[in-house]
Amino acid sequence: SRMAKQDEPIRDEPNPDQPAPDVWQGLDRRFWGASLMAGLAWMTMTALMVATPNAMIQCGIAVSGVMAAMGWHVIAMYVPAFALGLIGPIQARWLTGWGGLAVVLLAGALWRNLNYLSDFTVFLIVIALGWSLATSAATALLHERGGRQS
């Protein structure tokens, strides 16, 4: 049971003199936005990357060609990250990250149209570059956020 001071009535309804609470209060938009960006990029790239070698083999591409394409994919995943540390303002990081995610999603929409080794190799390089952009930008944003608790 609630106790009231002598002069103060008990109220169950909100006080009209106080502003409504901010629904975003306590939520860190940078954390959730960067996490969503990186998570969607990772999930999409992983689903496509796992399915692609089998699709390549079903198209008659030799295992050596599949392995070569996957090698270029892995290189494209990590090499761009070395230069992405130079991205300056926070707005550029958001643009880079969401742009990278858009590249992954757009490439994913074209996945079913691939038939040749060159098509698959370019596709794997493009989704890796998009993933690298999104993940590196999200990592930089989360690093800037620091260890603050929301």
Side-chain angles (χ1 to χ4, degrees):
S1 80
R2 294 183 350 187
M3 306 255 322
K5 293 181 183 177
Q6 286 295 80
D7 301 341
E8 188 177 309
I10 297 175
R11 291 187 178 191
D12 288 332
E13 66 272 353
N15 184 348
D17 298 330
Q18 293 179 343
D22 181 10
V23 295
W24 292 101
Q25 186 177 10
L27 295 178
D28 186 334
R29 292 180 186 150
R30 181 180 298 176
F31 171 79
W32 290 111
S35 297
L36 179 68
M37 174 195 316
L40 287 173
W42 177 84
M43 181 182 66
T44 306
M45 197 254 331
T46 300
L48 293 167
M49 183 182 64
V50 167
T52 298
N54 190 34
M56 292 172 77
I57 290 170
Q58 288 178 359
C59 286
I61 298 170
V63 173
S64 60
V66 173
M67 298 308 289
M70 293 305 290
W72 283 112
H73 170 76
V74 172
I75 290 169
M77 283 174 65
Y78 295 106
V79 169
F82 293 111
L84 289 175
L86 304 174
I87 300 173
I90 191 167
Q91 295 83 2
R93 290 187 178 148
W94 283 110
L95 184 62
T96 301
W98 289 113
L101 176 59
V103 167
V104 171
L105 295 173
L106 181 61
L110 301 173
W111 185 78
R112 307 232 345 125
N113 298 323
L114 306 175
N115 294 310
Y116 303 103
L117 177 59
S118 58
D119 296 345
F120 281 108
T121 303
V122 170
F123 165 78
L124 286 167
I125 290 170
V126 168
I127 64 168
L129 291 172
W131 174 85
S132 185
L133 291 171
T135 303
S136 297
T139 301
L141 289 164
L142 291 172
H143 178 72
E144 285 175 359
R145 180 182 176 272
R148 293 177 284 141
Q149 299 295 318
S150 49

